[in-house]
Amino acid sequence: MLIRKSVDIPYSEVTPKQVYLNRRELLASLPAALVAGYEFFSPGKARAAKFDHVNKSPLSVSDEPTPYKSITHYNNFYEFTTDKTGVADQAKNFRTSPWTVSVEGQIKNPRKLSMDEILAIAPLEERIYRHRCVEGWSMVAPWVGFSLSALLKKFEPTEKAKYIAFESYFSTSQMPHADYSGIPFPYVEGLRMDEAMHPLALLAVGLYGDSLPPQDGAPVRLVMPWKYGFKSIKSLVKIKFVEKQPPTTWNLAAANEYGFYANVNPQVDHPRWSQATELPLGAFRRRPTMMFNGYADQVASLYNGMDLRNNY
Ligand SMILES: Nc1nc2c(c(=O)[nH]1)N[C@H]1C(S)=C(S)[C@@H](COP(=O)(O)O)O[C@H]1N2
Ligand SMILES: [Mo]
C-alpha cells in the first residue's frame, strides 16, 4: 500500500452536518417497515434501502461522523481498483443479491446463511466507530450491524476451534481489474477467537442507516475498530472456525510490513512510514493516532504479556 497522493476531497463533496441531521430526523419520522422487505443495493439505484429499528449502541464514540460522501468515495477495495476515489464507480454494478455466507470448519453444524438469516441473528445497532487505515488516513463511520459474537455463538465449536478465518467474495468477471492490484485474491483475514468474540468486533450490514454500498463491502463485512483497516474484510462469503492462525492477505503480500494482529499502535512504525499521526478524511491537519485507535480501555487486556512490537 503506497500513498500516491495526500487525501484530497473537494470541499463541495463534504456534506454539512446539518444535512445529515435533517436526514436523521426524516428517517426517524418514517413509518416502521418490516426487515423482511429489506432490499440490498442494486444496479441502477442511487441509494440503498433504509433500515428501521436501528438501536443506538453504547459502544459508539462521540466523534462527529465523516460525511457519507467521503466515506463512500475514498475506499480501499483492491478487487475493484487501487484508485481509492475510483472504487465507488468501479463497484457500482456489483451484484450482492442473492448472497450467502458459509459458516464452516471446526463446528458441529456447518451451514450457509442467507442475508435474511444473518439479519435475523440480532437486533441492528448503529455503531459509530473510529477507523484508521494503515496508510495514515482515518474516518469516523456510523455503521449498522451487530457484534460478530452473536453470529459465532449460534454455532457449536469443537475443542480445536482457536481462530476464525474470513474470506471475501471474488470473481474475475465481476472484478476484471483485480490482477492489477498485485495482491492475491480471494482476500482473506483472520482473528484469534477472543478477538472475534470481543463485543467491539462488528459484523456490519449498513452505513448511515442504509444498507452498505458496494464500495464499502456490501452486503456484509467485518469492522475491527482497534485494528488497522485492512483487518476489516469486505463482502464476506466465508467464516471458518480453524485450529491454527490463518493466513491474511496483506501478510501474504508483504510479511515484514503487515502482521497478523495489526493493532493500531502509534509507537510501532510501519517500516516505510511513521504511524504516530493520521489525517482524518476531509481535514487539513494531521492529528496524533491513539493506542488501539482509542479503544485501549476495552481491548488492551486481550494482549497482556504480548510484545506488540514483534506481534505487529
Ligand atoms: N475484500 C477486501 N476487503 C478490504 C480491503 C480490500 O481491498 N478488499 N481493503 C481493506 C482496507 S486496507 C481498508 S482501509 C478498509 C477500507 O474500508 P472502507 O473503504 O469501507 O473505508 O477495507 C479493508 N477491507
Ligand atoms: Mo487500509
Side-chain angles (χ1 to χ4, degrees):
M1 284 185 241
L2 297 166
I3 301 181
R4 297 212 182 82
K5 57 178 182 179
S6 61
V7 179
D8 183 15
I9 290 169
Y11 199 67
S12 60
E13 286 200 354
V14 176
T15 310
K17 191 176 188 203
Q18 199 50 46
V19 174
Y20 170 45
L21 292 177
N22 288 341
R23 216 178 140 263
R24 283 186 139 185
E25 278 160 26
L26 181 77
L27 287 178
S29 70
L30 289 173
L34 292 169
V35 171
Y38 177 78
E39 245 185 296
F40 290 105
F41 187 99
S42 55
K45 282 187 71 188
R47 287 292 290 273
K50 290 162 183 64
F51 290 109
D52 291 294
H53 308 300
V54 178
N55 302 316
K56 298 227 172 298
S57 170
L59 297 172
S60 287
V61 293
S62 55
D63 309 39
E64 186 175 327
T66 304
Y68 182 84
K69 187 92 190 202
S70 307
I71 296 174
T72 57
H73 288 80
Y74 196 80
N75 303 97
N76 270 332
F77 203 161
Y78 273 33
E79 288 88 332
F80 290 103
T81 172
T82 57
D83 169 13
K84 297 182 210 313
T85 58
V87 181
D89 188 53
Q90 291 294 331
K92 66 176 187 285
N93 294 324
F94 183 41
R95 284 189 299 278
T96 56
S97 179
W99 193 272
T100 54
V101 178
S102 174
V103 187
E104 55 189 72
Q106 295 293 344
I107 44 175
K108 296 199 178 102
N109 45 348
R111 65 191 187 94
K112 288 197 159 100
L113 299 175
S114 68
M115 277 311 294
D116 283 340
E117 288 175 301
I118 290 173
L119 289 167
I121 286 174
L124 294 180
E125 295 172 23
E126 180 184 68
R127 298 256 188 108
I128 304 172
Y129 277 177
R130 293 188 199 97
H131 167 101
R132 170 60 158 80
C133 176
V134 74
E135 295 165 283
W137 49 276
S138 68
M139 65 180 195
V140 178
W143 302 109
V144 176
F146 53 80
S147 295
L148 172 67
S149 65
L151 181 148
L152 299 179
K153 282 175 189 162
K154 298 271 179 211
F155 295 85
E156 288 176 71
T158 70
E159 280 141 47
K160 288 183 177 167
K162 299 280 191 286
Y163 293 85
I164 305 289
F166 302 90
E167 191 176 306
S168 290
Y169 178 87
F170 182 60
S171 127
T172 46
S173 59
Q174 286 212 69
M175 296 150 163
H177 309 306
D179 271 358
Y180 297 107
S181 75
I183 63 171
F185 294 116
Y187 195 99
V188 290
E189 257 304 334
L191 296 171
R192 216 171 56 193
M193 188 64 77
D194 58 344
E195 299 180 306
M197 292 298 291
H198 193 283
L200 282 171
L202 178 70
L203 205 59
V205 294
L207 175 65
Y208 267 102
D210 289 349
S211 47
L212 286 174
Q215 63 267 36
D216 287 282
V220 56
R221 70 174 298 178
L222 193 67
V223 181
M224 297 298 293
W226 71 94
K227 293 176 178 284
Y228 290 119
F230 65 86
K231 297 295 291 183
S232 296
I233 182 171
K234 293 177 169 179
S235 304
L236 277 173
V237 291
K238 197 189 286 184
I239 297 176
K240 188 171 184 178
F241 290 68
V242 296
E243 190 174 1
K244 298 206 173 75
Q245 182 177 301
T248 60
T249 290
W250 278 101
N251 184 252
L252 292 170
N256 60 322
E257 302 189 7
Y258 310 107
F260 176 80
Y261 285 95
N263 292 314
V264 174
N265 189 338
Q267 288 148 32
V268 177
D269 289 338
H270 183 278
R272 292 186 281 129
W273 59 81
S274 162
Q275 293 293 28
T277 64
E278 65 198 52
L279 184 63
L281 288 191
F284 301 99
R285 220 170 284 119
R286 299 185 74 84
R287 66 165 191 210
T289 283
M290 292 180 279
M291 188 63 202
F292 294 111
N293 205 25
Y295 296 94
D297 288 351
Q298 289 132 291
V299 303
S301 63
L302 294 173
Y303 310 102
N304 277 344
M306 274 177 68
D307 181 338
L308 299 177
R309 197 164 284 279
N310 288 334
N311 295 285
Y312 56 93

